[in-house]
Amino acid sequence: MKKLAILAISLALMVSSTYAAEGEMGCFGGISTGIKMETLTALAQTSKKKTTSKYTLPYKENIYLTGQAETVEGTVEIKPGKGVDKEKTEGTYTETYKMTAQNSDGTTKVTRNVTLEVQYKYDAALKQTTKNTTMKKWSEIITVNGKTYKLDSNLSEFSKSILEDYTPGVLYYRGDVHYNAVYTPASGGNTASNITVSVNSPIYGYEQAFAKSETQQRTITVDLGSGEGYAIEETPTFTVYRDIEYGVNEPTAISMAGNYKEVMRSEGALSYNILQGNASLYEDDYSGMIGVQSSPTIEQLSYPTGLKLTGHAAETQLKKMFSMKIFSNDAASFSPNAVVSKKDYITMLVKALQIELPEEESKNKRSSKKKNQQVNPFTDLSSSDAYYRYAVAAYNAGLVDGGAFDGNSTLTRESMYVINMRAIGLQRLGLATADAYTAFVDDNQIGNWAKSSIYAAAKLGIINSANGYVYPKKTVTYADCATFLDQLINYLRYELQKDYIDKMLL
């Protein structure tokens, strides 16, 4: 019964309920904390859950109509719509945003209501989706230092396009947004001239099981309609990630010496530079940074107390894998030095990256026919095999090819690195290096078919070398897997966001 319970929990962890990260800040230069990731306990619930139709997040934005940064704070309400239906391959849906924010004394305010129409087309062969977004409704009122401006939606224009690329473990996206927002003085102004704010911005982001981030690089011009104007550059960004921490229990008389916990954190940040601003600005007013945070969510992770790992070189990493339910072996018989097969490692990766599992085949033949069960893509793996659903999940995600699965073969380190780089979709970083030398002492032992992946993994810092050796032909043990997976997860959890956040903000 215990094994069945563990299996049920593991299967439930495969599906993430959050929708794609793109859009969690809106497209108007504000920052939010992003939508929090769900806990493992929430993901493990077997009951049918309704998709959340509305999110309300803390929000900040800079307004530059006066040629200086006027910071307002409030909330953004997001209704993401139904999203992409890959089975239909193309379609349309709407998403809405409501921003309400003001400064501390209420002299500067913004109220914005936006309805966007998203047209999408999914290319199954490329595993990519193109989204083109247009404006259906746009109302906005801004008050700055006693002057009120109202958006003229008839004169304003908006366009956004996003390309999403689905790799087995990470959704990457890149896009552009352009708009001209025309504001008419409504009260308190001494001029009848419209103010036009023009924005161009590339958008970069990703979402995966351990973190998600988005960064925009906005170029802003403010035309006052009198031959004068302002120019600003700003970089709004947000990041959401799962941190993992170990805590030693203080009481002596307690059955658990300690355990891991996951801390879900989320925050947004915006850096800005005023290239041409109000003549009255001081030097410190030309650049700055604002931020917004939400309180963290904490979840204690369970851990089998029967494991005998004390003193093992990979004790910490092994405990992490069991705590995150990536390893589900029987504690009493578990050996960290046992050799891992290909099917075991694929199962670990599918669990770790929360790759969606296919539905179980129905025992009822009639209902099975109605559901159009997937044809077995493997020639050497039965649909009744315990590993079958994990193998199919890996196949559907593009992690493994069809034909001979060869699941019982032992896993070498070079094979594992090839699988890892395919999992996170960054093989291209090692392309054209098949005949080049890597920095490892035993480079001549690396197969040409694996060299580009090992080169890319080394470039990203997610490879484990011992005194300059990579030992490509060495078989992988559970202890090795725990160490390598910990490196990979830490890259996804922490390091990947640096390329999208720290590098862009500086």
Side-chain angles (χ1 to χ4, degrees):
M1 288 297 291
K2 286 184 179 179
K3 288 184 178 180
L4 290 175
I6 291 172
L7 178 61
I9 291 173
S10 298
L11 299 185
L13 295 181
M14 298 305 107
V15 182
S16 174
S17 64
T18 57
Y19 73 103
E22 182 265 318
E24 293 183 28
M25 294 190 296
C27 306
F28 300 93
I31 52 173
S32 77
T33 56
I35 298 168
K36 285 186 178 179
M37 309 185 94
E38 289 199 81
T39 65
L40 296 181
T41 301
L43 291 171
Q45 302 306 304
T46 55
S47 58
K48 277 276 187 181
K49 293 186 295 183
K50 293 182 179 179
T51 303
T52 304
S53 59
K54 182 175 73 173
Y55 301 90
T56 301
L57 305 173
Y59 183 78
K60 282 186 180 180
E61 181 180 330
N62 276 347
I63 296 171
Y64 302 101
L65 295 186
T66 60
Q68 65 184 54
E70 303 280 357
T71 302
V72 294
E73 183 175 2
T75 60
V76 55
E77 181 184 284
I78 304 171
K79 295 181 180 179
K82 65 181 182 180
V84 174
D85 185 343
K86 293 179 183 177
E87 291 185 2
K88 292 183 179 179
T89 71
E90 60 184 35
T92 303
Y93 64 91
T94 59
E95 54 188 20
T96 65
Y97 298 86
K98 181 179 180 181
M99 292 91 164
T100 305
Q102 64 179 35
N103 64 357
S104 57
D105 61 9
T107 56
T108 300
K109 305 177 183 179
V110 60
T111 301
R112 182 184 299 117
N113 290 280
V114 173
T115 301
L116 301 174
E117 182 174 82
V118 183
Q119 292 182 327
Y120 67 86
K121 183 174 179 60
Y122 173 64
D123 188 323
L126 297 176
K127 294 187 182 297
Q128 293 180 341
T129 296
T130 300
K131 295 179 178 179
N132 292 324
T133 301
T134 55
M135 188 70 67
K136 286 189 70 176
K137 295 179 182 179
W138 186 1
S139 64
E140 185 174 338
I141 296 176
I142 297 177
T143 299
V144 186
N145 298 331
K147 298 178 182 179
T148 300
Y149 303 87
K150 185 176 182 181
L151 180 89
D152 189 329
S153 59
N154 293 321
L155 297 178
S156 300
E157 300 174 314
F158 178 95
S159 177
K160 183 176 75 166
S161 181
I162 297 287
L163 176 65
E164 296 180 343
D165 186 34
Y166 307 96
T167 71
V170 185
L171 161 65
Y172 298 95
Y173 58 92
R174 192 266 190 248
D176 291 277
V177 62
H178 168 77
Y179 63 85
N180 292 322
V182 180
Y183 299 94
T184 301
S187 65
N190 55 9
T191 176
S193 298
N194 290 341
I195 297 178
T196 302
V197 178
S198 298
V199 175
N200 285 290
S201 177
I203 301 171
Y204 303 96
Y206 67 86
E207 180 177 5
Q208 31 92 357
F210 300 96
K212 56 183 175 178
S213 292
E214 179 179 304
T215 299
Q216 301 175 17
Q217 293 179 308
R218 294 164 56 85
T219 301
I220 306 166
T221 59
V222 180
D223 183 352
L224 300 179
S226 58
E228 298 180 67
Y230 313 119
I232 305 99
E233 291 178 345
E234 66 177 8
T235 305
T237 185
F238 83 88
T239 184
V240 180
Y241 66 100
R242 300 178 187 272
D243 204 355
I244 189 164
E245 301 171 2
Y246 184 79
V248 177
N249 293 329
E250 294 295 332
T252 302
I254 186 171
S255 61
M256 301 173 292
N259 69 286
Y260 280 96
K261 62 184 176 183
E262 276 199 326
V263 184
M264 273 64 75
R265 305 184 190 276
S266 58
E267 57 190 7
L270 180 149
S271 65
Y272 63 91
N273 289 290
I274 299 176
L275 307 178
Q276 180 180 340
N278 192 305
S280 64
L281 291 180
Y282 293 102
E283 185 176 347
D284 292 345
D285 295 330
Y286 280 93
S287 63
M289 182 173 287
I290 60 176
V292 60
Q293 291 183 325
S294 64
S295 59
T297 300
I298 301 174
E299 178 178 38
Q300 306 296 331
L301 301 181
S302 60
Y303 169 73
T305 56
L307 286 167
K308 299 177 178 64
L309 300 174
T310 304
H312 195 284
E315 178 182 355
T316 297
Q317 293 83 0
L318 287 161
K319 286 182 176 179
K320 281 185 184 180
M321 295 305 111
F322 275 99
S323 297
M324 290 189 288
K325 304 297 181 288
I326 296 170
F327 287 7
S328 56
N329 307 62
D330 180 67
S333 60
F334 177 72
S335 171
N337 299 319
V339 175
V340 171
S341 67
K342 178 184 175 181
K343 64 185 180 184
D344 288 327
Y345 190 69
I346 292 298
T347 300
M348 294 174 197
L349 268 184
V350 169
K351 290 179 180 180
L353 300 175
Q354 295 180 9
I355 297 174
E356 185 175 356
L357 290 173
E359 291 184 8
E360 286 189 276
E361 286 192 16
S362 173
K363 293 180 180 179
N364 186 308
K365 292 182 179 180
R366 291 181 180 178
S367 61
S368 179
K369 289 180 181 178
K370 290 180 181 179
K371 287 186 177 181
N372 296 320
Q373 296 290 344
Q374 181 174 353
V375 176
N376 186 344
F378 305 110
T379 58
D380 58 350
L381 190 62
S382 168
S383 60
S384 61
D385 192 296
Y387 295 91
Y388 176 73
R389 293 181 70 209
Y390 293 96
V392 172
Y395 169 78
N396 289 340
L399 185 58
V400 299
D401 298 323
F405 182 65
D406 197 22
N408 292 319
S409 62
T410 55
L411 191 72
T412 62
R413 290 168 68 126
E414 62 183 356
S415 297
M416 182 195 61
Y417 283 124
V418 169
I419 294 172
N420 285 357
M421 293 312 297
R422 182 182 287 190
I424 62 176
L426 295 178
Q427 310 95 306
R428 73 172 188 83
L429 298 179
L431 292 179
T433 60
D435 297 323
Y437 289 101
T438 66
F440 299 108
V441 178
D442 50 355
D443 173 86
N444 63 340
Q445 296 181 33
I446 302 173
N448 284 338
W449 60 276
K451 189 166 285 191
S452 60
S453 291
I454 290 177
Y455 182 92
K459 185 175 181 179
L460 295 173
I462 50 175
I463 199 163
N464 193 41
S465 66
N467 300 318
Y469 290 84
V470 72
Y471 300 115
K473 307 301 182 187
K474 184 179 178 182
T475 54
V476 177
T477 66
Y478 277 94
D480 293 331
C481 280
T483 301
F484 296 137
L485 283 172
D486 189 45
Q487 284 181 308
L488 180 65
I489 290 169
N490 283 340
Y491 175 77
L492 295 174
R493 197 193 300 272
Y494 308 120
E495 299 302 319
L496 181 58
Q497 65 181 258
K498 292 180 181 179
D499 203 27
Y500 286 76
I501 306 298
D502 299 355
K503 176 180 168 184
M504 305 280 234
L505 285 174
L506 296 177

